[in-house]
Amino acid sequence: MHLAEFNFGTLRYPWGDPRLAGFEDALDQVNAIAARSPGFVWRMPDAAMEAAQQDPNGALADQPNTASTLSVWEGATPLYQFVTKTLHARIMAGRAAWFVPGNSGFLVCWWVPEGHHPDVAEGMARWRKVQNAGDNHDAFGSNGLVAAASAETAVSDG
């Protein structure tokens, strides 16, 4: 099994606004780091993500002005390492300047069969399950990611 992750947040300003320049300018570099990171498998292409974010009838229709990422990793540990130990962590430290408070950094992770590339509708459905039932075997948020990465490390150390 591989680990899918979907994260999203509402931007304070429209795409292209100069106040988002620091965020927008870093996206290509952060995505390139992800793609070169150990354990990275796949990321939804930019054009497909942009189409999903702008679809008035899609899974993000109730999330206007959204920035989001959907990717697949070999496990929790490589995802956790990417999120916390690379440029991604430094960029996200500035999220208060770019994202609406209380409506940013939403994360959901879930296990998928190798070779499966989820879509945004699947990610939103998993996120809603976590919102309704909390972390569970079907999906989990950031605390569950930390726990899963810790469990993987314990197994590999044991």
Side-chain angles (χ1 to χ4, degrees), residues 48-66 120 128:
M49 183 56 76
E50 185 175 335
Q53 290 170 176
Q54 295 178 359
D55 182 353
N57 300 311
L60 293 170
D62 62 342
Q63 300 288 327
N65 206 34
T66 299
V120 171
R128 286 189 178 100

Side-chain angles (χ1 to χ4, degrees), residues 65-84:
N65 206 34
T66 299
S68 55
T69 303
L70 177 62
S71 61
V72 176
W73 296 77
E74 290 177 354
T77 302
L79 173 59
Y80 181 76
Q81 292 294 318
F82 165 71
V83 168
T84 62

Side-chain angles (χ1 to χ4, degrees), residues 16-151:
D17 187 294
R19 293 168 288 190
L20 291 178
F23 175 73
E24 289 185 38
D25 292 347
L27 286 177
D28 287 341
Q29 187 176 4
V30 169
N31 289 335
I33 291 168
R36 291 190 312 267
S37 293
F40 174 83
V41 175
W42 171 87
R43 181 178 67 86
M44 178 176 271
D46 293 338
M49 183 56 76
E50 185 175 335
Q53 290 170 176
Q54 295 178 359
D55 182 353
N57 300 311
L60 293 170
D62 62 342
Q63 300 288 327
N65 206 34
T66 299
S68 55
T69 303
L70 177 62
S71 61
V72 176
W73 296 77
E74 290 177 354
T77 302
L79 173 59
Y80 181 76
Q81 292 294 318
F82 165 71
V83 168
T84 62
K85 307 292 185 202
T86 69
L87 176 63
H88 180 276
R90 284 202 327 257
I91 295 301
M92 292 315 295
R95 69 180 164 262
W98 303 313
F99 290 91
V100 173
N103 198 8
S104 67
F106 297 127
L107 170 72
V108 63
C109 300
W110 68 102
W111 299 103
V112 297
E114 288 186 27
H116 178 67
H117 296 167
D119 61 18
V120 171
E122 184 177 343
M124 285 302 290
R126 297 290 181 145
W127 181 75
R128 286 189 178 100
K129 282 184 179 184
V130 170
Q131 296 308 296
N132 291 330
D135 287 357
N136 58 72
H137 67 280
D138 289 329
F140 48 88
S142 56
N143 290 339
L145 175 60
V146 172
S150 295

